[in-house]
Amino acid sequence: MDKFVVAESGPLKGEVAASGAKNAALPILCAGLLSNEPLHVTNVPKLWDIGTTKKLLTQMGVDVQQPGSHEITINAKSITTCIAPYELVRTMRASILVLGPLLAARGEAHVSLPGGCAIGARPVNLHLMGLEAMGAEIKLEGGFIHAKCNRLKGAHIMFDTVTVTGTENLMMAAVLADGETVLENAAREPEVVDLANCLRAMGANIVGDGTTTIRIQGVKALHEATHSVLPDRIETGTFLVAAAATRGCVRVTKTDPALLDAVLVKLQQAGAVVRTGTDFIEVDMQGRRPKAVNIHTMPHPGFPTDMQAQFMAMNCLAEGVGTIRETIFENRFMHAQELLRLGADIRIEGNLAIVAGKERLMAAPIMSTDLRASASLVIAALCAEGQTIIDRIYHMDRGYEDIEGKFTALGARMKRVTNLM
């Protein structure tokens, strides 16, 4: 099993390009199931989860081509089965996103209950309740969701809590439904808007994405389209926080500053000089130690839960005491135990983490516990005296394209090794 060996590094400096967003690419690839004509997707990141999605679609009989290193073309005209098996779905929670498109376009779906990162329950009941409101018959048997319908009907659906994948699944189901569907308390994340942009390019009638109320007027069929995935705001933020933690200066290109308003405010509070342009963000600490910041995760446009682990790592090295309150997932402080092994001063009280900064950390063997926690451990290891070995880095490969190559280009001393004893 691969591991990272990370040595204490000086301030990160330089320029790195953001990849396409994993959390946008996955639902967009699933949207290809809605049409019998090709969907050509560009700026697709090269990630483990993208590979899993390709396998899942191919196993269904979908024609999946890769004309370029960051391009995928999907044609679902040749689909032979509507089954999403456990052996693939268990490794990636986003596999649930085939449910809505299959049901809308094919009238049936047999999807294993999902797996993914162990950061909380994240139940799919809101997906199922919405599909039932649209006329689907749903049974849960043998660990599978069995869903059938003739043609889905438009419905008024109110989400009890904000759910990104639930919003995406029902939005995709609604584009081929009979009549209008209204999604209330819908997720406003940029990735939801990007999916809506793709669906509109395919001929869907959607308004209100990016707000809490999305209206979808169903159409008879969708057509061929090309769509470019938006930049990954979490990858962008990860490199910017790494610059702050290491007292460096890093510019991330091929990104969009408008996607990271809440993150940039916190970096400025940490003492960073933040410069932005049309497609770049630069964080310059001017050699200064960061100041501790307080974080409160919230649905977009609030502070993203996918960035709290990285800020916890920065707070471990900052001046003062910072608090992090996690309100999205109930089990997302697992990385704190690994940071403690590096000598961090962290106290957990329920969904609150209190972090007292230290001048430096000390190397130790640690392991990744989920995707974003993995990135926080790399950031901390770059500032730890000695050589840190990070195990179970397959979590990182799920969501960060060539993370060691990009960090190394900024001056990080890290390498990937296999079967290190």
PDB file of all heavy atoms in Angstrom, residues 30-37 60-63 74-83 98-110 147-152 173 176 222:
ATOM      1  N   CYS A  30     -22.687  11.362 -14.399  1.00  0.00           N
ATOM      2  CA  CYS A  30     -23.935  10.608 -14.220  1.00  0.00           C
ATOM      3  C   CYS A  30     -25.062  11.200 -15.066  1.00  0.00           C
ATOM      4  O   CYS A  30     -25.960  10.472 -15.507  1.00  0.00           O
ATOM      5  CB  CYS A  30     -24.334  10.586 -12.747  1.00  0.00           C
ATOM      6  SG  CYS A  30     -23.196   9.659 -11.681  1.00  0.00           S
ATOM      7  N   ALA A  31     -25.013  12.505 -15.309  1.00  0.00           N
ATOM      8  CA  ALA A  31     -26.030  13.156 -16.131  1.00  0.00           C
ATOM      9  C   ALA A  31     -26.032  12.621 -17.558  1.00  0.00           C
ATOM     10  O   ALA A  31     -27.049  12.715 -18.264  1.00  0.00           O
ATOM     11  CB  ALA A  31     -25.817  14.672 -16.136  1.00  0.00           C
ATOM     12  N   GLY A  32     -24.916  12.035 -17.982  1.00  0.00           N
ATOM     13  CA  GLY A  32     -24.868  11.436 -19.308  1.00  0.00           C
ATOM     14  C   GLY A  32     -25.865  10.313 -19.495  1.00  0.00           C
ATOM     15  O   GLY A  32     -26.236   9.968 -20.624  1.00  0.00           O
ATOM     16  N   LEU A  33     -26.351   9.732 -18.384  1.00  0.00           N
ATOM     17  CA  LEU A  33     -27.346   8.661 -18.453  1.00  0.00           C
ATOM     18  C   LEU A  33     -28.709   9.168 -18.916  1.00  0.00           C
ATOM     19  O   LEU A  33     -29.578   8.378 -19.281  1.00  0.00           O
ATOM     20  CB  LEU A  33     -27.499   8.004 -17.079  1.00  0.00           C
ATOM     21  CG  LEU A  33     -26.302   7.206 -16.557  1.00  0.00           C
ATOM     22  CD1 LEU A  33     -26.481   6.892 -15.074  1.00  0.00           C
ATOM     23  CD2 LEU A  33     -26.140   5.918 -17.351  1.00  0.00           C
ATOM     24  N   LEU A  34     -28.910  10.484 -18.896  1.00  0.00           N
ATOM     25  CA  LEU A  34     -30.214  11.062 -19.195  1.00  0.00           C
ATOM     26  C   LEU A  34     -30.504  11.167 -20.693  1.00  0.00           C
ATOM     27  O   LEU A  34     -31.635  11.458 -21.080  1.00  0.00           O
ATOM     28  CB  LEU A  34     -30.318  12.461 -18.574  1.00  0.00           C
ATOM     29  CG  LEU A  34     -30.440  12.511 -17.049  1.00  0.00           C
ATOM     30  CD1 LEU A  34     -30.114  13.899 -16.529  1.00  0.00           C
ATOM     31  CD2 LEU A  34     -31.828  12.080 -16.610  1.00  0.00           C
ATOM     32  N   SER A  35     -29.495  10.960 -21.525  1.00  0.00           N
ATOM     33  CA  SER A  35     -29.668  11.167 -22.960  1.00  0.00           C
ATOM     34  C   SER A  35     -29.178   9.967 -23.760  1.00  0.00           C
ATOM     35  O   SER A  35     -28.292   9.232 -23.306  1.00  0.00           O
ATOM     36  CB  SER A  35     -28.906  12.423 -23.395  1.00  0.00           C
ATOM     37  OG  SER A  35     -28.972  12.613 -24.792  1.00  0.00           O
ATOM     38  N   ASN A  36     -29.747   9.801 -24.951  1.00  0.00           N
ATOM     39  CA  ASN A  36     -29.252   8.795 -25.892  1.00  0.00           C
ATOM     40  C   ASN A  36     -28.229   9.382 -26.847  1.00  0.00           C
ATOM     41  O   ASN A  36     -27.799   8.709 -27.790  1.00  0.00           O
ATOM     42  CB  ASN A  36     -30.417   8.190 -26.689  1.00  0.00           C
ATOM     43  CG  ASN A  36     -31.216   7.199 -25.862  1.00  0.00           C
ATOM     44  OD1 ASN A  36     -30.684   6.553 -24.957  1.00  0.00           O
ATOM     45  ND2 ASN A  36     -32.498   7.079 -26.150  1.00  0.00           N
ATOM     46  N   GLU A  37     -27.866  10.639 -26.616  1.00  0.00           N
ATOM     47  CA  GLU A  37     -26.855  11.299 -27.429  1.00  0.00           C
ATOM     48  C   GLU A  37     -25.624  11.582 -26.570  1.00  0.00           C
ATOM     49  O   GLU A  37     -25.709  11.627 -25.341  1.00  0.00           O
ATOM     50  CB  GLU A  37     -27.417  12.597 -28.027  1.00  0.00           C
ATOM     51  CG  GLU A  37     -28.601  12.360 -28.962  1.00  0.00           C
ATOM     52  CD  GLU A  37     -29.092  13.644 -29.602  1.00  0.00           C
ATOM     53  OE1 GLU A  37     -28.340  14.649 -29.612  1.00  0.00           O
ATOM     54  OE2 GLU A  37     -30.236  13.645 -30.107  1.00  0.00           O
ATOM     55  N   MET A  60     -22.615  -0.832 -16.905  1.00  0.00           N
ATOM     56  CA  MET A  60     -24.018  -0.723 -17.300  1.00  0.00           C
ATOM     57  C   MET A  60     -24.204  -0.830 -18.820  1.00  0.00           C
ATOM     58  O   MET A  60     -25.335  -0.830 -19.301  1.00  0.00           O
ATOM     59  CB  MET A  60     -24.590   0.623 -16.830  1.00  0.00           C
ATOM     60  CG  MET A  60     -24.708   0.766 -15.335  1.00  0.00           C
ATOM     61  SD  MET A  60     -25.350   2.413 -14.933  1.00  0.00           S
ATOM     62  CE  MET A  60     -25.356   2.322 -13.150  1.00  0.00           C
ATOM     63  N   GLY A  61     -23.107  -0.871 -19.548  1.00  0.00           N
ATOM     64  CA  GLY A  61     -23.192  -0.926 -20.999  1.00  0.00           C
ATOM     65  C   GLY A  61     -23.052   0.423 -21.663  1.00  0.00           C
ATOM     66  O   GLY A  61     -23.168   0.536 -22.890  1.00  0.00           O
ATOM     67  N   VAL A  62     -22.801   1.472 -20.890  1.00  0.00           N
ATOM     68  CA  VAL A  62     -22.627   2.818 -21.433  1.00  0.00           C
ATOM     69  C   VAL A  62     -21.285   2.888 -22.173  1.00  0.00           C
ATOM     70  O   VAL A  62     -20.280   2.336 -21.723  1.00  0.00           O
ATOM     71  CB  VAL A  62     -22.673   3.870 -20.305  1.00  0.00           C
ATOM     72  CG1 VAL A  62     -22.398   5.258 -20.844  1.00  0.00           C
ATOM     73  CG2 VAL A  62     -24.023   3.819 -19.594  1.00  0.00           C
ATOM     74  N   ASP A  63     -21.292   3.566 -23.313  1.00  0.00           N
ATOM     75  CA  ASP A  63     -20.060   3.766 -24.080  1.00  0.00           C
ATOM     76  C   ASP A  63     -19.295   4.940 -23.461  1.00  0.00           C
ATOM     77  O   ASP A  63     -19.769   6.082 -23.508  1.00  0.00           O
ATOM     78  CB  ASP A  63     -20.397   4.057 -25.544  1.00  0.00           C
ATOM     79  CG  ASP A  63     -19.148   4.247 -26.399  1.00  0.00           C
ATOM     80  OD1 ASP A  63     -18.080   3.737 -26.013  1.00  0.00           O
ATOM     81  OD2 ASP A  63     -19.241   4.932 -27.433  1.00  0.00           O
ATOM     82  N   ILE A  74     -19.477  10.399 -22.973  1.00  0.00           N
ATOM     83  CA  ILE A  74     -20.401   9.351 -22.525  1.00  0.00           C
ATOM     84  C   ILE A  74     -21.571   9.268 -23.499  1.00  0.00           C
ATOM     85  O   ILE A  74     -22.147  10.293 -23.874  1.00  0.00           O
ATOM     86  CB  ILE A  74     -20.935   9.666 -21.115  1.00  0.00           C
ATOM     87  CG1 ILE A  74     -19.807   9.562 -20.101  1.00  0.00           C
ATOM     88  CG2 ILE A  74     -22.074   8.732 -20.729  1.00  0.00           C
ATOM     89  CD1 ILE A  74     -20.175  10.102 -18.755  1.00  0.00           C
ATOM     90  N   ASN A  75     -21.893   8.042 -23.903  1.00  0.00           N
ATOM     91  CA  ASN A  75     -23.091   7.826 -24.721  1.00  0.00           C
ATOM     92  C   ASN A  75     -23.857   6.660 -24.115  1.00  0.00           C
ATOM     93  O   ASN A  75     -23.410   5.516 -24.160  1.00  0.00           O
ATOM     94  CB  ASN A  75     -22.717   7.534 -26.176  1.00  0.00           C
ATOM     95  CG  ASN A  75     -23.926   7.570 -27.089  1.00  0.00           C
ATOM     96  OD1 ASN A  75     -25.053   7.331 -26.655  1.00  0.00           O
ATOM     97  ND2 ASN A  75     -23.709   7.885 -28.361  1.00  0.00           N
ATOM     98  N   ALA A  76     -25.024   6.975 -23.528  1.00  0.00           N
ATOM     99  CA  ALA A  76     -25.813   5.963 -22.814  1.00  0.00           C
ATOM    100  C   ALA A  76     -26.815   5.249 -23.716  1.00  0.00           C
ATOM    101  O   ALA A  76     -27.631   4.464 -23.229  1.00  0.00           O
ATOM    102  CB  ALA A  76     -26.541   6.609 -21.646  1.00  0.00           C
ATOM    103  N   LYS A  77     -26.757   5.500 -25.019  1.00  0.00           N
ATOM    104  CA  LYS A  77     -27.704   4.862 -25.938  1.00  0.00           C
ATOM    105  C   LYS A  77     -27.613   3.347 -25.867  1.00  0.00           C
ATOM    106  O   LYS A  77     -28.605   2.632 -26.037  1.00  0.00           O
ATOM    107  CB  LYS A  77     -27.438   5.340 -27.364  1.00  0.00           C
ATOM    108  CG  LYS A  77     -28.425   4.821 -28.402  1.00  0.00           C
ATOM    109  CD  LYS A  77     -28.120   5.390 -29.778  1.00  0.00           C
ATOM    110  CE  LYS A  77     -29.126   4.876 -30.803  1.00  0.00           C
ATOM    111  NZ  LYS A  77     -28.848   5.448 -32.165  1.00  0.00           N
ATOM    112  N   SER A  78     -26.406   2.857 -25.589  1.00  0.00           N
ATOM    113  CA  SER A  78     -26.165   1.402 -25.602  1.00  0.00           C
ATOM    114  C   SER A  78     -26.338   0.745 -24.235  1.00  0.00           C
ATOM    115  O   SER A  78     -25.955  -0.417 -24.062  1.00  0.00           O
ATOM    116  CB  SER A  78     -24.746   1.135 -26.110  1.00  0.00           C
ATOM    117  OG  SER A  78     -23.788   1.778 -25.259  1.00  0.00           O
ATOM    118  N   ILE A  79     -26.918   1.443 -23.254  1.00  0.00           N
ATOM    119  CA  ILE A  79     -27.020   0.907 -21.893  1.00  0.00           C
ATOM    120  C   ILE A  79     -27.748  -0.445 -21.890  1.00  0.00           C
ATOM    121  O   ILE A  79     -28.731  -0.639 -22.607  1.00  0.00           O
ATOM    122  CB  ILE A  79     -27.732   1.923 -20.963  1.00  0.00           C
ATOM    123  CG1 ILE A  79     -27.606   1.507 -19.501  1.00  0.00           C
ATOM    124  CG2 ILE A  79     -29.173   2.135 -21.363  1.00  0.00           C
ATOM    125  CD1 ILE A  79     -28.035   2.590 -18.519  1.00  0.00           C
ATOM    126  N   THR A  80     -27.232  -1.376 -21.104  1.00  0.00           N
ATOM    127  CA  THR A  80     -27.794  -2.735 -21.082  1.00  0.00           C
ATOM    128  C   THR A  80     -28.374  -3.117 -19.724  1.00  0.00           C
ATOM    129  O   THR A  80     -29.146  -4.064 -19.628  1.00  0.00           O
ATOM    130  CB  THR A  80     -26.716  -3.768 -21.460  1.00  0.00           C
ATOM    131  OG1 THR A  80     -25.596  -3.623 -20.573  1.00  0.00           O
ATOM    132  CG2 THR A  80     -26.249  -3.565 -22.900  1.00  0.00           C
ATOM    133  N   THR A  81     -27.989  -2.408 -18.666  1.00  0.00           N
ATOM    134  CA  THR A  81     -28.506  -2.742 -17.339  1.00  0.00           C
ATOM    135  C   THR A  81     -28.615  -1.491 -16.489  1.00  0.00           C
ATOM    136  O   THR A  81     -27.854  -0.534 -16.684  1.00  0.00           O
ATOM    137  CB  THR A  81     -27.606  -3.770 -16.626  1.00  0.00           C
ATOM    138  OG1 THR A  81     -28.150  -4.054 -15.329  1.00  0.00           O
ATOM    139  CG2 THR A  81     -26.194  -3.256 -16.462  1.00  0.00           C
ATOM    140  N   CYS A  82     -29.546  -1.502 -15.566  1.00  0.00           N
ATOM    141  CA  CYS A  82     -29.746  -0.363 -14.654  1.00  0.00           C
ATOM    142  C   CYS A  82     -29.319  -0.726 -13.239  1.00  0.00           C
ATOM    143  O   CYS A  82     -29.873  -0.221 -12.260  1.00  0.00           O
ATOM    144  CB  CYS A  82     -31.210   0.074 -14.682  1.00  0.00           C
ATOM    145  SG  CYS A  82     -31.731   0.756 -16.270  1.00  0.00           S
ATOM    146  N   ILE A  83     -28.344  -1.611 -13.137  1.00  0.00           N
ATOM    147  CA  ILE A  83     -27.864  -2.082 -11.838  1.00  0.00           C
ATOM    148  C   ILE A  83     -26.532  -1.428 -11.505  1.00  0.00           C
ATOM    149  O   ILE A  83     -25.594  -1.439 -12.304  1.00  0.00           O
ATOM    150  CB  ILE A  83     -27.707  -3.620 -11.826  1.00  0.00           C
ATOM    151  CG1 ILE A  83     -29.058  -4.291 -12.092  1.00  0.00           C
ATOM    152  CG2 ILE A  83     -27.126  -4.089 -10.494  1.00  0.00           C
ATOM    153  CD1 ILE A  83     -28.971  -5.790 -12.253  1.00  0.00           C
ATOM    154  N   VAL A  98     -26.449   7.954  -9.732  1.00  0.00           N
ATOM    155  CA  VAL A  98     -27.007   7.303 -10.927  1.00  0.00           C
ATOM    156  C   VAL A  98     -28.488   7.014 -10.734  1.00  0.00           C
ATOM    157  O   VAL A  98     -29.198   6.722 -11.701  1.00  0.00           O
ATOM    158  CB  VAL A  98     -26.256   5.994 -11.286  1.00  0.00           C
ATOM    159  CG1 VAL A  98     -24.775   6.276 -11.515  1.00  0.00           C
ATOM    160  CG2 VAL A  98     -26.451   4.919 -10.219  1.00  0.00           C
ATOM    161  N   LEU A  99     -28.975   7.088  -9.497  1.00  0.00           N
ATOM    162  CA  LEU A  99     -30.354   6.696  -9.192  1.00  0.00           C
ATOM    163  C   LEU A  99     -31.372   7.568  -9.932  1.00  0.00           C
ATOM    164  O   LEU A  99     -32.252   7.051 -10.636  1.00  0.00           O
ATOM    165  CB  LEU A  99     -30.586   6.768  -7.680  1.00  0.00           C
ATOM    166  CG  LEU A  99     -31.987   6.434  -7.169  1.00  0.00           C
ATOM    167  CD1 LEU A  99     -32.371   5.012  -7.532  1.00  0.00           C
ATOM    168  CD2 LEU A  99     -32.065   6.635  -5.649  1.00  0.00           C
ATOM    169  N   GLY A 100     -31.285   8.873  -9.772  1.00  0.00           N
ATOM    170  CA  GLY A 100     -32.237   9.770 -10.416  1.00  0.00           C
ATOM    171  C   GLY A 100     -32.214   9.689 -11.931  1.00  0.00           C
ATOM    172  O   GLY A 100     -33.271   9.550 -12.565  1.00  0.00           O
ATOM    173  N   PRO A 101     -31.033   9.767 -12.567  1.00  0.00           N
ATOM    174  CA  PRO A 101     -30.979   9.682 -14.028  1.00  0.00           C
ATOM    175  C   PRO A 101     -31.501   8.356 -14.583  1.00  0.00           C
ATOM    176  O   PRO A 101     -32.215   8.347 -15.591  1.00  0.00           O
ATOM    177  CB  PRO A 101     -29.489   9.857 -14.334  1.00  0.00           C
ATOM    178  CG  PRO A 101     -28.941  10.603 -13.177  1.00  0.00           C
ATOM    179  CD  PRO A 101     -29.728  10.138 -11.990  1.00  0.00           C
ATOM    180  N   LEU A 102     -31.147   7.230 -13.952  1.00  0.00           N
ATOM    181  CA  LEU A 102     -31.635   5.934 -14.428  1.00  0.00           C
ATOM    182  C   LEU A 102     -33.150   5.863 -14.353  1.00  0.00           C
ATOM    183  O   LEU A 102     -33.826   5.399 -15.288  1.00  0.00           O
ATOM    184  CB  LEU A 102     -31.019   4.795 -13.609  1.00  0.00           C
ATOM    185  CG  LEU A 102     -29.559   4.452 -13.889  1.00  0.00           C
ATOM    186  CD1 LEU A 102     -29.072   3.390 -12.905  1.00  0.00           C
ATOM    187  CD2 LEU A 102     -29.376   3.950 -15.329  1.00  0.00           C
ATOM    188  N   LEU A 103     -33.701   6.310 -13.252  1.00  0.00           N
ATOM    189  CA  LEU A 103     -35.149   6.245 -13.060  1.00  0.00           C
ATOM    190  C   LEU A 103     -35.868   7.140 -14.070  1.00  0.00           C
ATOM    191  O   LEU A 103     -36.885   6.746 -14.659  1.00  0.00           O
ATOM    192  CB  LEU A 103     -35.479   6.664 -11.633  1.00  0.00           C
ATOM    193  CG  LEU A 103     -36.845   6.273 -11.064  1.00  0.00           C
ATOM    194  CD1 LEU A 103     -37.096   4.784 -11.192  1.00  0.00           C
ATOM    195  CD2 LEU A 103     -36.930   6.699  -9.604  1.00  0.00           C
ATOM    196  N   ALA A 104     -35.323   8.340 -14.295  1.00  0.00           N
ATOM    197  CA  ALA A 104     -35.961   9.280 -15.215  1.00  0.00           C
ATOM    198  C   ALA A 104     -35.883   8.818 -16.662  1.00  0.00           C
ATOM    199  O   ALA A 104     -36.852   8.936 -17.419  1.00  0.00           O
ATOM    200  CB  ALA A 104     -35.319  10.657 -15.073  1.00  0.00           C
ATOM    201  N   ALA A 105     -34.727   8.292 -17.058  1.00  0.00           N
ATOM    202  CA  ALA A 105     -34.511   7.953 -18.473  1.00  0.00           C
ATOM    203  C   ALA A 105     -34.908   6.523 -18.820  1.00  0.00           C
ATOM    204  O   ALA A 105     -35.307   6.241 -19.948  1.00  0.00           O
ATOM    205  CB  ALA A 105     -33.041   8.183 -18.836  1.00  0.00           C
ATOM    206  N   ARG A 106     -34.809   5.589 -17.847  1.00  0.00           N
ATOM    207  CA  ARG A 106     -35.018   4.168 -18.151  1.00  0.00           C
ATOM    208  C   ARG A 106     -36.205   3.575 -17.408  1.00  0.00           C
ATOM    209  O   ARG A 106     -36.598   2.439 -17.688  1.00  0.00           O
ATOM    210  CB  ARG A 106     -33.758   3.364 -17.807  1.00  0.00           C
ATOM    211  CG  ARG A 106     -32.478   3.950 -18.374  1.00  0.00           C
ATOM    212  CD  ARG A 106     -32.417   3.911 -19.886  1.00  0.00           C
ATOM    213  NE  ARG A 106     -31.367   4.788 -20.397  1.00  0.00           N
ATOM    214  CZ  ARG A 106     -31.059   4.910 -21.685  1.00  0.00           C
ATOM    215  NH1 ARG A 106     -31.710   4.192 -22.587  1.00  0.00           N
ATOM    216  NH2 ARG A 106     -30.124   5.756 -22.066  1.00  0.00           N
ATOM    217  N   GLY A 107     -36.740   4.297 -16.419  1.00  0.00           N
ATOM    218  CA  GLY A 107     -37.903   3.807 -15.697  1.00  0.00           C
ATOM    219  C   GLY A 107     -37.596   2.825 -14.599  1.00  0.00           C
ATOM    220  O   GLY A 107     -38.506   2.314 -13.940  1.00  0.00           O
ATOM    221  N   GLU A 108     -36.324   2.539 -14.362  1.00  0.00           N
ATOM    222  CA  GLU A 108     -35.944   1.629 -13.275  1.00  0.00           C
ATOM    223  C   GLU A 108     -34.511   1.874 -12.858  1.00  0.00           C
ATOM    224  O   GLU A 108     -33.699   2.391 -13.625  1.00  0.00           O
ATOM    225  CB  GLU A 108     -36.130   0.169 -13.685  1.00  0.00           C
ATOM    226  CG  GLU A 108     -35.217  -0.288 -14.806  1.00  0.00           C
ATOM    227  CD  GLU A 108     -35.312  -1.786 -15.068  1.00  0.00           C
ATOM    228  OE1 GLU A 108     -35.480  -2.547 -14.105  1.00  0.00           O
ATOM    229  OE2 GLU A 108     -35.209  -2.177 -16.238  1.00  0.00           O
ATOM    230  N   ALA A 109     -34.200   1.489 -11.639  1.00  0.00           N
ATOM    231  CA  ALA A 109     -32.843   1.578 -11.119  1.00  0.00           C
ATOM    232  C   ALA A 109     -32.702   0.621  -9.952  1.00  0.00           C
ATOM    233  O   ALA A 109     -33.608   0.497  -9.124  1.00  0.00           O
ATOM    234  CB  ALA A 109     -32.528   3.005 -10.673  1.00  0.00           C
ATOM    235  N   HIS A 110     -31.578  -0.078  -9.912  1.00  0.00           N
ATOM    236  CA  HIS A 110     -31.261  -0.993  -8.816  1.00  0.00           C
ATOM    237  C   HIS A 110     -29.861  -0.608  -8.323  1.00  0.00           C
ATOM    238  O   HIS A 110     -28.857  -0.993  -8.919  1.00  0.00           O
ATOM    239  CB  HIS A 110     -31.312  -2.447  -9.278  1.00  0.00           C
ATOM    240  CG  HIS A 110     -32.611  -2.808  -9.942  1.00  0.00           C
ATOM    241  ND1 HIS A 110     -33.758  -3.080  -9.227  1.00  0.00           N
ATOM    242  CD2 HIS A 110     -32.942  -2.887 -11.251  1.00  0.00           C
ATOM    243  CE1 HIS A 110     -34.744  -3.340 -10.073  1.00  0.00           C
ATOM    244  NE2 HIS A 110     -34.281  -3.225 -11.308  1.00  0.00           N
ATOM    245  N   ALA A 147     -35.971   0.764  -7.546  1.00  0.00           N
ATOM    246  CA  ALA A 147     -36.896   1.844  -7.903  1.00  0.00           C
ATOM    247  C   ALA A 147     -37.468   1.619  -9.293  1.00  0.00           C
ATOM    248  O   ALA A 147     -36.753   1.195 -10.214  1.00  0.00           O
ATOM    249  CB  ALA A 147     -36.181   3.183  -7.841  1.00  0.00           C
ATOM    250  N   LYS A 148     -38.765   1.899  -9.439  1.00  0.00           N
ATOM    251  CA  LYS A 148     -39.443   1.763 -10.729  1.00  0.00           C
ATOM    252  C   LYS A 148     -40.429   2.910 -10.922  1.00  0.00           C
ATOM    253  O   LYS A 148     -40.931   3.492  -9.950  1.00  0.00           O
ATOM    254  CB  LYS A 148     -40.197   0.432 -10.817  1.00  0.00           C
ATOM    255  CG  LYS A 148     -39.314  -0.795 -10.969  1.00  0.00           C
ATOM    256  CD  LYS A 148     -40.172  -2.041 -11.203  1.00  0.00           C
ATOM    257  CE  LYS A 148     -39.304  -3.276 -11.423  1.00  0.00           C
ATOM    258  NZ  LYS A 148     -40.108  -4.481 -11.706  1.00  0.00           N
ATOM    259  N   CYS A 149     -40.725   3.218 -12.185  1.00  0.00           N
ATOM    260  CA  CYS A 149     -41.754   4.204 -12.508  1.00  0.00           C
ATOM    261  C   CYS A 149     -42.110   4.068 -13.978  1.00  0.00           C
ATOM    262  O   CYS A 149     -41.386   3.422 -14.748  1.00  0.00           O
ATOM    263  CB  CYS A 149     -41.279   5.626 -12.216  1.00  0.00           C
ATOM    264  SG  CYS A 149     -39.962   6.201 -13.320  1.00  0.00           S
ATOM    265  N   ASN A 150     -43.238   4.637 -14.359  1.00  0.00           N
ATOM    266  CA  ASN A 150     -43.546   4.774 -15.775  1.00  0.00           C
ATOM    267  C   ASN A 150     -42.842   6.038 -16.265  1.00  0.00           C
ATOM    268  O   ASN A 150     -41.770   5.981 -16.830  1.00  0.00           O
ATOM    269  CB  ASN A 150     -45.056   4.831 -16.002  1.00  0.00           C
ATOM    270  CG  ASN A 150     -45.714   3.481 -15.725  1.00  0.00           C
ATOM    271  OD1 ASN A 150     -45.166   2.433 -16.072  1.00  0.00           O
ATOM    272  ND2 ASN A 150     -46.878   3.500 -15.096  1.00  0.00           N
ATOM    273  N   ARG A 151     -43.446   7.207 -16.004  1.00  0.00           N
ATOM    274  CA  ARG A 151     -42.721   8.467 -16.193  1.00  0.00           C
ATOM    275  C   ARG A 151     -42.890   9.270 -14.919  1.00  0.00           C
ATOM    276  O   ARG A 151     -43.998   9.372 -14.390  1.00  0.00           O
ATOM    277  CB  ARG A 151     -43.266   9.246 -17.394  1.00  0.00           C
ATOM    278  CG  ARG A 151     -42.428  10.499 -17.675  1.00  0.00           C
ATOM    279  CD  ARG A 151     -42.953  11.329 -18.818  1.00  0.00           C
ATOM    280  NE  ARG A 151     -42.093  12.494 -19.047  1.00  0.00           N
ATOM    281  CZ  ARG A 151     -42.406  13.515 -19.834  1.00  0.00           C
ATOM    282  NH1 ARG A 151     -43.565  13.516 -20.478  1.00  0.00           N
ATOM    283  NH2 ARG A 151     -41.575  14.537 -19.980  1.00  0.00           N
ATOM    284  N   LEU A 152     -41.786   9.798 -14.426  1.00  0.00           N
ATOM    285  CA  LEU A 152     -41.852  10.592 -13.211  1.00  0.00           C
ATOM    286  C   LEU A 152     -42.735  11.819 -13.426  1.00  0.00           C
ATOM    287  O   LEU A 152     -42.820  12.359 -14.537  1.00  0.00           O
ATOM    288  CB  LEU A 152     -40.443  11.029 -12.781  1.00  0.00           C
ATOM    289  CG  LEU A 152     -39.496   9.913 -12.325  1.00  0.00           C
ATOM    290  CD1 LEU A 152     -38.098  10.469 -12.090  1.00  0.00           C
ATOM    291  CD2 LEU A 152     -40.018   9.229 -11.071  1.00  0.00           C
ATOM    292  N   ALA A 173     -33.421  13.880 -11.961  1.00  0.00           N
ATOM    293  CA  ALA A 173     -34.650  13.118 -12.183  1.00  0.00           C
ATOM    294  C   ALA A 173     -35.736  14.000 -12.778  1.00  0.00           C
ATOM    295  O   ALA A 173     -36.509  13.571 -13.640  1.00  0.00           O
ATOM    296  CB  ALA A 173     -35.123  12.515 -10.859  1.00  0.00           C
ATOM    297  N   LEU A 176     -36.566  15.192 -16.914  1.00  0.00           N
ATOM    298  CA  LEU A 176     -37.361  14.403 -17.862  1.00  0.00           C
ATOM    299  C   LEU A 176     -38.748  14.082 -17.319  1.00  0.00           C
ATOM    300  O   LEU A 176     -39.485  13.298 -17.920  1.00  0.00           O
ATOM    301  CB  LEU A 176     -36.630  13.098 -18.214  1.00  0.00           C
ATOM    302  CG  LEU A 176     -35.308  13.233 -18.974  1.00  0.00           C
ATOM    303  CD1 LEU A 176     -34.684  11.858 -19.228  1.00  0.00           C
ATOM    304  CD2 LEU A 176     -35.506  13.975 -20.293  1.00  0.00           C
ATOM    305  N   LEU A 222     -33.289  14.928 -23.794  1.00  0.00           N
ATOM    306  CA  LEU A 222     -32.099  15.773 -23.809  1.00  0.00           C
ATOM    307  C   LEU A 222     -31.240  15.403 -25.016  1.00  0.00           C
ATOM    308  O   LEU A 222     -31.375  14.323 -25.589  1.00  0.00           O
ATOM    309  CB  LEU A 222     -31.305  15.601 -22.512  1.00  0.00           C
ATOM    310  CG  LEU A 222     -32.036  15.958 -21.215  1.00  0.00           C
ATOM    311  CD1 LEU A 222     -31.086  15.817 -20.027  1.00  0.00           C
ATOM    312  CD2 LEU A 222     -32.603  17.365 -21.263  1.00  0.00           C
TER     313      LEU A 222
END
